[in-house]
Amino acid sequence: MPLQDRVAALLVLLYAQPLTRIARLGTDDVLHEDGEVLVRLGDPPSPVPAPFAGMLLDYLGQRPNTMTATA
């Protein structure tokens, strides 16, 4: 299973959010502050448990450059 699918599945399971809500999350909805990873699903952002936090950060670090224009 690709990493992005595992990340989406874990977000659905951990936070009981519908997949449509998870699909709308952007990279700016994941916060990495003071050694803690948070996901902005509401106010305040929710902490991400340690084992999953690493996987989430790995996924965000491996994403291809989406700002590249193609002709």
Side-chain angles (χ1 to χ4, degrees), residues 25-41:
L25 289 173
T27 56
D28 59 331
D29 290 316
V30 178
L31 311 170
H32 192 198
E33 302 173 347
D34 301 323
E36 185 174 26
V37 178
L38 306 162
V39 64
R40 192 177 300 142
L41 294 167

Side-chain angles (χ1 to χ4, degrees), residues 9-67:
L10 284 169
L11 284 167
V12 169
L13 290 171
L14 286 173
Y15 299 103
Q17 297 293 308
L19 189 55
T20 54
R21 172 70 178 107
I22 299 304
R24 285 193 308 260
L25 289 173
T27 56
D28 59 331
D29 290 316
V30 178
L31 311 170
H32 192 198
E33 302 173 347
D34 301 323
E36 185 174 26
V37 178
L38 306 162
V39 64
R40 192 177 300 142
L41 294 167
D43 190 32
S46 301
V48 179
F52 178 53
M55 181 187 293
L56 184 56
L57 293 175
D58 286 347
Y59 166 69
L60 292 175
Q62 293 176 12
R63 294 182 65 235
N65 183 355
T66 59
M67 300 302 289

